[in-house]
Amino acid sequence: VLSEAADDINVEAYVIGGFVRDFFLKRGKAEDIDVVAVGSGIELAKKVSEKLPGKPPVKVFKTYGTAMLKIFDLEVEFVGARKESYTENSRNPEVEQGTLADDQNRRDFTINALALQLNKKDFGKLLDPFKGLEDLKTQLIKTPLDPEVTFSDDPLRMIRAIRFASQLHFKIDQKSIQAIKDHAERIDIVSKERIVTELNKILESEKPSVGFKLLHDTELLQRILPELTHLEGIDEIDGQKHKDNFWHTLEVVDNISLETKDVWLRWAALLHDIGKAPTKRFHKKIGWTFHGHEFKGSKMVYQLFKRLKLPLNDKMKLVQKLVLLSSRPIAIVDDDVTDSAVRRLIFDAGDHLDDLMMLCEADITTKNPNRYKKYHNNFKVVRNRIQE
Ligand code: CTP
């Protein structure tokens, strides 16, 4: 249908972007397809709709000159090929009509610039001016143009590079890494909503620490989640040390990701220790303490969600609750399991007892085998008491 419609109105049309990338990677089921028309994307969308049974409605986004059509459960987005030049503050790109090559030039990565021709004459022909297919094979995230240009056109792409590296287990080209390090501050002009979309995708990847480590190494993390980077480092006084709570946190996130795909539980793991930076104290007699870090942490969750424009809803409350209670089961284990402590835990955790127990088990990252064994055995005892 797409092919016929494009030929009918005599425009060149291509499938481009994520669909083509995932097609070559044999990755998952596509939910959306991007179609580029060398001409009017809106006109092509209307023609396609005419040819479909029931003529589904075309949603037109006038300001962007794009159109959307739902074909069964596939969302197809139609855009005219463009040549974009972004203004300094990058919010309002000036858009003019361009060729397919112009459109491929302005895309984020070589693997996302692959295009497949739709017109009958050359149906299925791959247009790959930046050797994106080779980068797919060698598993490399690389910008089509100089990374300085691609990243300054849209600084969100710095995080997107890391998101794709984390999702696909790809490496990022060294020049791109350097460009991110050199201009991490550019992320400050990007909207929080767009940043959060990418952060969620990193958190949803198989091993989120891959993405967070890259965010850390490129110094993007201290700009978007300073609460986390404040946890980094080990202080030593009178020969007493505490653990590095930043690297510990990444381990906990990976551990919980083996157990659940729920992104909010992964957020809880990411934030479970954030109260430790502001509550850290050293006492001559007892050493390092983080008294009240759970209370502080759960307040910080609210502030952080608000700053990132994440919804302040039940999911936020769930994260707050898990942060607030995160060290309770471990404390019960440490002080020997008493019935009253278990009863109180059951009461306070309410509907989220299983989530809390999962988080706490993920939190046990001690390398000391005796301690590790003790925790696991005692956790079993707590679980049994809960079930009784
Ligand atoms: N794109 C871009 N720069 C951005 C965002 C998107 O060049 N900042 C281009 C890329 O070609 C990308 C396409 O627009 O492939 C679609 O973007 P998006 O839907 O965000 O990502 P996908 O590549 O489709 O990946 P996913 O489906 O995993 O979100």
Side-chain angles (χ1 to χ4, degrees), residues 18 35 51 56 66 75 98 109 113 186-188 194 212 281 323 336 350 356 363:
V35 172
K51 289 178 171 288
T66 64
E75 291 197 346
F109 306 112
R186 286 187 182 147
I187 203 64
D188 297 351
R194 297 181 75 212
F212 282 99
R281 304 278 180 276
V323 171
D336 291 326
L356 179 63
D363 196 7

mmCIF file of all heavy atoms in Angstrom, residues 18 35 51 56 66 75 98 109 113 186-188 194 212 281 323 336 350 356 363:
data_model
loop_
_atom_site.group_PDB
_atom_site.id
_atom_site.type_symbol
_atom_site.label_atom_id
_atom_site.label_comp_id
_atom_site.label_asym_id
_atom_site.label_seq_id
_atom_site.Cartn_x
_atom_site.Cartn_y
_atom_site.Cartn_z
ATOM 1 N N GLY A 18 14.668 3.693 13.242
ATOM 2 C CA GLY A 18 14.642 2.552 14.150
ATOM 3 C C GLY A 18 14.090 1.270 13.541
ATOM 4 O O GLY A 18 14.586 0.183 13.833
ATOM 5 N N VAL A 35 8.435 6.974 7.996
ATOM 6 C CA VAL A 35 8.513 7.020 6.542
ATOM 7 C C VAL A 35 8.900 8.435 6.118
ATOM 8 O O VAL A 35 8.319 9.415 6.588
ATOM 9 C CB VAL A 35 7.151 6.638 5.903
ATOM 10 C CG1 VAL A 35 7.174 6.862 4.397
ATOM 11 C CG2 VAL A 35 6.807 5.184 6.214
ATOM 12 N N LYS A 51 -6.211 4.296 0.496
ATOM 13 C CA LYS A 51 -6.096 2.936 -0.045
ATOM 14 C C LYS A 51 -6.382 1.849 0.985
ATOM 15 O O LYS A 51 -6.436 0.671 0.648
ATOM 16 C CB LYS A 51 -4.689 2.718 -0.595
ATOM 17 C CG LYS A 51 -4.417 3.499 -1.860
ATOM 18 C CD LYS A 51 -2.997 3.288 -2.324
ATOM 19 C CE LYS A 51 -2.793 3.895 -3.697
ATOM 20 N NZ LYS A 51 -3.471 3.127 -4.762
ATOM 21 N N PRO A 56 -8.543 4.835 7.524
ATOM 22 C CA PRO A 56 -8.265 5.342 8.870
ATOM 23 C C PRO A 56 -7.859 6.828 8.840
ATOM 24 O O PRO A 56 -7.270 7.279 7.857
ATOM 25 C CB PRO A 56 -7.092 4.473 9.339
ATOM 26 C CG PRO A 56 -6.503 3.890 8.112
ATOM 27 C CD PRO A 56 -7.617 3.766 7.124
ATOM 28 N N THR A 66 4.235 17.022 9.764
ATOM 29 C CA THR A 66 4.259 15.559 9.762
ATOM 30 C C THR A 66 2.836 15.013 9.904
ATOM 31 O O THR A 66 1.919 15.758 10.247
ATOM 32 C CB THR A 66 5.110 15.005 10.928
ATOM 33 O OG1 THR A 66 4.490 15.377 12.154
ATOM 34 C CG2 THR A 66 6.522 15.552 10.889
ATOM 35 N N GLU A 75 2.030 2.296 14.371
ATOM 36 C CA GLU A 75 1.925 3.739 14.138
ATOM 37 C C GLU A 75 2.928 4.130 13.072
ATOM 38 O O GLU A 75 4.130 3.932 13.241
ATOM 39 C CB GLU A 75 2.231 4.509 15.427
ATOM 40 C CG GLU A 75 1.160 4.312 16.462
ATOM 41 C CD GLU A 75 1.204 5.346 17.575
ATOM 42 O OE1 GLU A 75 2.218 6.066 17.693
ATOM 43 O OE2 GLU A 75 0.222 5.405 18.324
ATOM 44 N N GLY A 98 14.280 19.024 1.810
ATOM 45 C CA GLY A 98 15.572 18.547 1.334
ATOM 46 C C GLY A 98 15.451 17.224 0.611
ATOM 47 O O GLY A 98 14.352 16.734 0.360
ATOM 48 N N PHE A 109 22.569 8.751 14.408
ATOM 49 C CA PHE A 109 23.650 7.767 14.304
ATOM 50 C C PHE A 109 23.590 7.041 12.959
ATOM 51 O O PHE A 109 22.513 6.939 12.364
ATOM 52 C CB PHE A 109 23.578 6.765 15.464
ATOM 53 C CG PHE A 109 23.567 7.477 16.795
ATOM 54 C CD1 PHE A 109 22.444 7.473 17.607
ATOM 55 C CD2 PHE A 109 24.680 8.213 17.189
ATOM 56 C CE1 PHE A 109 22.426 8.191 18.800
ATOM 57 C CE2 PHE A 109 24.673 8.928 18.379
ATOM 58 C CZ PHE A 109 23.549 8.929 19.181
ATOM 59 N N ALA A 113 20.369 5.884 10.331
ATOM 60 C CA ALA A 113 20.232 6.638 9.084
ATOM 61 C C ALA A 113 20.009 5.714 7.893
ATOM 62 O O ALA A 113 19.940 6.162 6.753
ATOM 63 C CB ALA A 113 21.479 7.507 8.863
ATOM 64 N N ARG A 186 26.061 20.931 27.570
ATOM 65 C CA ARG A 186 24.982 21.246 26.621
ATOM 66 C C ARG A 186 23.677 20.538 26.964
ATOM 67 O O ARG A 186 22.615 20.908 26.488
ATOM 68 C CB ARG A 186 25.390 20.847 25.198
ATOM 69 C CG ARG A 186 26.400 21.786 24.594
ATOM 70 C CD ARG A 186 26.608 21.420 23.139
ATOM 71 N NE ARG A 186 27.620 22.267 22.534
ATOM 72 C CZ ARG A 186 28.453 21.872 21.588
ATOM 73 N NH1 ARG A 186 28.399 20.638 21.138
ATOM 74 N NH2 ARG A 186 29.328 22.699 21.074
ATOM 75 N N ILE A 187 23.758 19.501 27.780
ATOM 76 C CA ILE A 187 22.552 18.754 28.134
ATOM 77 C C ILE A 187 21.588 19.645 28.930
ATOM 78 O O ILE A 187 20.384 19.395 28.971
ATOM 79 C CB ILE A 187 22.906 17.450 28.915
ATOM 80 C CG1 ILE A 187 21.784 16.419 28.786
ATOM 81 C CG2 ILE A 187 23.200 17.713 30.385
ATOM 82 C CD1 ILE A 187 21.528 15.919 27.399
ATOM 83 N N ASP A 188 22.137 20.697 29.530
ATOM 84 C CA ASP A 188 21.312 21.565 30.380
ATOM 85 C C ASP A 188 20.143 22.228 29.638
ATOM 86 O O ASP A 188 19.162 22.607 30.264
ATOM 87 C CB ASP A 188 22.175 22.658 31.043
ATOM 88 C CG ASP A 188 23.221 22.062 31.980
ATOM 89 O OD1 ASP A 188 23.155 20.836 32.235
ATOM 90 O OD2 ASP A 188 24.098 22.809 32.450
ATOM 91 N N ARG A 194 12.340 14.803 27.742
ATOM 92 C CA ARG A 194 13.117 14.045 26.762
ATOM 93 C C ARG A 194 14.248 13.276 27.452
ATOM 94 O O ARG A 194 14.551 12.142 27.087
ATOM 95 C CB ARG A 194 13.697 14.983 25.694
ATOM 96 C CG ARG A 194 12.634 15.696 24.860
ATOM 97 C CD ARG A 194 13.264 16.584 23.814
ATOM 98 N NE ARG A 194 13.817 15.830 22.700
ATOM 99 C CZ ARG A 194 14.886 16.207 22.003
ATOM 100 N NH1 ARG A 194 15.556 17.307 22.334
ATOM 101 N NH2 ARG A 194 15.316 15.485 20.992
ATOM 102 N N PHE A 212 24.643 3.630 32.928
ATOM 103 C CA PHE A 212 24.948 4.571 34.007
ATOM 104 C C PHE A 212 26.454 4.779 34.161
ATOM 105 O O PHE A 212 26.908 5.866 34.501
ATOM 106 C CB PHE A 212 24.303 4.130 35.329
ATOM 107 C CG PHE A 212 22.839 4.454 35.344
ATOM 108 C CD1 PHE A 212 21.900 3.479 35.049
ATOM 109 C CD2 PHE A 212 22.397 5.747 35.589
ATOM 110 C CE1 PHE A 212 20.540 3.786 35.011
ATOM 111 C CE2 PHE A 212 21.049 6.067 35.561
ATOM 112 C CZ PHE A 212 20.118 5.076 35.273
ATOM 113 N N ARG A 281 28.163 10.782 58.530
ATOM 114 C CA ARG A 281 28.916 11.368 59.666
ATOM 115 C C ARG A 281 29.965 10.371 60.119
ATOM 116 O O ARG A 281 29.815 9.162 59.931
ATOM 117 C CB ARG A 281 27.986 11.621 60.867
ATOM 118 C CG ARG A 281 26.781 12.484 60.600
ATOM 119 C CD ARG A 281 27.119 13.984 60.654
ATOM 120 N NE ARG A 281 25.932 14.774 60.388
ATOM 121 C CZ ARG A 281 25.490 15.076 59.154
ATOM 122 N NH1 ARG A 281 26.141 14.642 58.088
ATOM 123 N NH2 ARG A 281 24.386 15.785 58.990
ATOM 124 N N VAL A 323 12.289 3.324 49.246
ATOM 125 C CA VAL A 323 13.516 3.972 49.742
ATOM 126 C C VAL A 323 13.435 4.106 51.270
ATOM 127 O O VAL A 323 14.398 3.821 51.986
ATOM 128 C CB VAL A 323 13.716 5.352 49.071
ATOM 129 C CG1 VAL A 323 14.848 6.130 49.739
ATOM 130 C CG2 VAL A 323 14.008 5.181 47.574
ATOM 131 N N ASP A 336 18.698 -10.015 64.460
ATOM 132 C CA ASP A 336 17.984 -11.268 64.660
ATOM 133 C C ASP A 336 16.488 -11.057 64.503
ATOM 134 O O ASP A 336 15.935 -10.057 64.929
ATOM 135 C CB ASP A 336 18.295 -11.901 66.022
ATOM 136 C CG ASP A 336 19.732 -12.388 66.044
ATOM 137 O OD1 ASP A 336 20.189 -12.820 64.967
ATOM 138 O OD2 ASP A 336 20.378 -12.302 67.096
ATOM 139 N N GLY A 350 2.811 -2.911 53.508
ATOM 140 C CA GLY A 350 1.478 -3.022 52.886
ATOM 141 C C GLY A 350 1.526 -3.869 51.620
ATOM 142 O O GLY A 350 2.089 -4.959 51.612
ATOM 143 N N LEU A 356 9.574 -4.883 48.235
ATOM 144 C CA LEU A 356 10.584 -4.481 49.219
ATOM 145 C C LEU A 356 11.586 -5.613 49.472
ATOM 146 O O LEU A 356 12.802 -5.384 49.505
ATOM 147 C CB LEU A 356 9.893 -4.076 50.527
ATOM 148 C CG LEU A 356 10.837 -3.646 51.647
ATOM 149 C CD1 LEU A 356 11.620 -2.394 51.271
ATOM 150 C CD2 LEU A 356 10.052 -3.399 52.945
ATOM 151 N N ASP A 363 20.049 -5.708 47.319
ATOM 152 C CA ASP A 363 20.939 -4.780 48.031
ATOM 153 C C ASP A 363 22.112 -5.499 48.707
ATOM 154 O O ASP A 363 23.067 -4.884 49.142
ATOM 155 C CB ASP A 363 20.088 -4.034 49.079
ATOM 156 C CG ASP A 363 20.769 -2.781 49.606
ATOM 157 O OD1 ASP A 363 21.836 -2.403 49.075
ATOM 158 O OD2 ASP A 363 20.223 -2.182 50.549
#
